[in-house]
Amino acid sequence: MALAFATVEARAQGLGASKVEDLPLARPSRLGPTPGAGANPLGDSPGEGGAVLENRTGGPRPTTEAGQQGSRREAAPGGGNIGPPTRSSVAFVSPFGSLALAIEDEGPPDGLTLDQAIDRLVRQNLELRSKAFEIPQAEADILTAGLRANPILYSDVQCYPYGSFSRARPGGQTQYDINVSYPLDVTGKRKARTLVARRAKKVLEAQFQDAIRVEIDNLYTRFVDVLAARETVRLARKSVAELEKEPEKPRGAARPLPGADDQRLEIQREAAEIGLTQAEEEYRDDLRALGVLLGMPAIEAERLEPRGSLSDSTPPPTLGEPLLRLAMASRPDLAAYRLGVKRAEADVGLAIANRYPDLYVLYQPYTFQDDRYLRHQSAHSWGAGVSVPLPIFNRNQGNIERSRLNVSQTRTDLSAVEQQVVFEVRQAERQYAVTRTAVDRIERSLLPNARLEHDRATQLYFDGKLDELSFLTAERDFDQIVRQYRDTLVRHRRAMLKLNTAAGVRILP
């Protein structure tokens, strides 16, 4: 029976009738390294351990189409792939004040609004749909962690002779055994494993929320790109339409009309048409990029009719400390690291529970001793036993110390993330304030004065009191101011939406 019990214990520990503590809790995640998971900071996995500040805004994640066009994007300060793109405006010729302000077209009433785009993004974006599978996988990890070890059924034959026993060649009785062995978790390993798995799921849920935040920020960028490209197309079409009109002649034959020469008008017209073609293609390209985020085929995306405005008609939000407190309470990446600290603390409890191996109890309900060769009646019996590993040398000291250090490391990571959030909020506030001030100054002072000067120069020219070169110079100056106004509107619209991303909640439409 002693031999049988030793064999059962060896099989239970070696073949692992179900070593539930070996859980896939540290498996690679589509949401990036899990805060508090105790990953090796010196390992081969980029972004783990000490490289906390590499992707603070979104965490490591696969590059989406929105992040692939590096030539049109600049990195957000602090890392991540959610910075505003740098757009090169399509050059087009504007004859005689064609860039003069017109009422901005917000799109058709049934067009795609930003709110509708966000709703579709959350439901249809393939990146998010893929990452959402991490949550049910974490629930499966909880199920695995809570499973009890399986009992082991063992059967053996002992003292079986080479040949046969007899009175002349006696030997111990041949013995047939059936026994069941079961490990006893006396230190609460199963409970500690389940706690770790549950806290790991909460971390993944926060990481998934942060993945949504990052994708919505990518959507913000693409949606503003589309609005800006649509406005560029509208102005380019207006330029072409102006050139198609019969040019108005100034008073007095002594002053020739700029562009009255057919060749000059043809050059201007061709340049405007080329600019329009480029603007329309860039608009379609932006629509296709938006469609990738929304899970749309390219053909369907090109038919999108967005509805929205570049103008800011909302009152400014409350900035400063209230906004910072809101970000600290709302940012899901911060929540993930706070939950990661709790998950790391649960790892300490699991390491402590693993100090002592399981006890193995054995019940042998059937033992048959064959005494027939002695012409005696064979005997039946039962047995029981217990195996207690003696933790003299190995008490999991290294893993306990490592898990405790991981708690300190995760808390340090949390402090770094908090500093990064403060930086991002302050920077987003500054960008919003600067661009809003610039828009206000242009609308209140620069643009009205430029319009008056443009109208004065135009009147003087058509009255024959201003030469052609001075008139064209005044036209060019006014066009530059209008372009500056449009570009500032685009930058301010991006700054508004970047404030949402930095705060972690929608505070501006």
Side-chain angles (χ1 to χ4, degrees), residues 22 24 59 73 107 150 152 188 233 235 240 249 255-256 303 314 370 382 425 448 453 461 483:
D22 295 333
R73 301 179 65 84
N150 294 321
I152 301 172
V233 169
L235 294 177
V240 173
K249 297 180 180 181
R255 296 196 178 272
R303 295 196 297 264
T314 59
D370 190 358
W382 66 275
V425 171
E453 180 61 25
Y461 172 72
R483 286 195 183 96

Side-chain angles (χ1 to χ4, degrees), residues 112 120 124 288 290-301 304:
L112 179 72
R120 182 182 175 94
Q124 300 294 335
R288 289 190 291 267
L290 178 63
V292 171
L293 288 177
L294 300 181
M296 287 183 177
I299 297 178
E300 181 182 353
L304 279 177

Side-chain angles (χ1 to χ4, degrees), residues 279-488:
E280 289 176 340
E281 179 56 33
E282 185 165 353
Y283 180 48
R284 286 191 293 269
D285 181 63
D286 286 328
L287 286 174
R288 289 190 291 267
L290 178 63
V292 171
L293 288 177
L294 300 181
M296 287 183 177
I299 297 178
E300 181 182 353
E302 289 181 7
R303 295 196 297 264
L304 279 177
E305 292 288 347
R307 179 170 178 79
S309 173
L310 294 173
S311 301
D312 180 10
S313 59
T314 59
T318 303
L319 304 180
E321 289 304 317
L323 180 63
L324 183 58
R325 288 195 298 269
L326 179 64
M328 287 295 186
S330 305
R331 283 279 292 260
D333 50 345
L334 262 180
Y337 273 88
R338 292 184 183 119
L339 293 168
V341 172
K342 295 182 179 180
R343 184 253 163 88
E345 292 170 347
D347 278 332
V348 175
L350 178 58
I352 293 175
N354 284 328
R355 285 183 302 178
Y356 304 115
D358 292 343
L359 306 182
Y360 283 84
V361 295
L362 178 139
Y363 173 59
Q364 189 166 299
Y366 178 81
T367 299
F368 176 76
Q369 294 176 319
D370 190 358
D371 290 334
R372 287 176 297 175
Y373 79 96
L374 296 174
R375 289 185 173 82
H376 294 164
Q377 185 176 0
S378 296
H380 297 81
S381 61
W382 66 275
V386 61
S387 175
V388 181
L390 300 179
I392 297 175
F393 305 110
N394 181 1
R395 294 185 298 278
N396 206 32
Q397 298 97 320
N399 286 333
I400 292 174
E401 180 62 21
R402 180 184 179 83
S403 61
R404 286 172 174 164
L405 291 173
N406 182 55
V407 173
S408 300
Q409 183 184 40
T410 307
R411 286 173 177 162
T412 302
D413 292 344
L414 173 60
S415 299
V417 177
E418 289 174 341
Q419 290 183 359
Q420 186 65 26
V421 169
V422 172
F423 168 76
E424 290 177 8
V425 171
R426 296 303 189 204
Q427 187 181 50
E429 283 182 336
R430 186 61 182 165
Q431 290 176 350
Y432 173 82
V434 168
T435 56
R436 185 180 180 91
T437 300
V439 170
D440 289 343
R441 288 187 63 183
I442 292 175
E443 292 178 343
R444 185 175 61 253
S445 175
L446 179 60
L447 202 55
N449 292 335
R451 190 198 299 256
L452 289 175
E453 180 61 25
H454 168 266
D455 294 343
R456 186 186 70 82
T458 301
Q459 187 62 44
L460 288 175
Y461 172 72
F462 284 106
D463 288 344
K465 300 178 181 180
L466 189 67
D467 62 88
E468 178 181 346
L469 180 60
S470 299
F471 172 67
L472 291 178
T473 301
E475 285 288 328
R476 184 172 57 252
D477 292 344
F478 183 69
D479 288 350
Q480 289 177 351
I481 291 174
V482 174
R483 286 195 183 96
Q484 180 184 7
Y485 176 56
R486 299 291 179 180
D487 292 342
T488 305

Side-chain angles (χ1 to χ4, degrees), residues 220 310-314 428 431-432 435-436 489 491-501 507-509:
Y220 288 158
L310 294 173
S311 301
D312 180 10
S313 59
T314 59
Q431 290 176 350
Y432 173 82
T435 56
R436 185 180 180 91
L489 281 178
R491 286 196 297 271
H492 181 58
R493 189 73 179 99
R494 289 184 181 133
M496 291 172 60
L497 298 176
K498 186 63 66 178
L499 204 60
N500 294 339
T501 302
I507 58 178
L508 289 172

Side-chain angles (χ1 to χ4, degrees), residues 267-280:
I267 291 173
Q268 287 186 335
R269 187 179 295 111
E270 186 174 1
E273 290 173 352
I274 291 174
L276 175 59
T277 301
Q278 293 176 341
E280 289 176 340

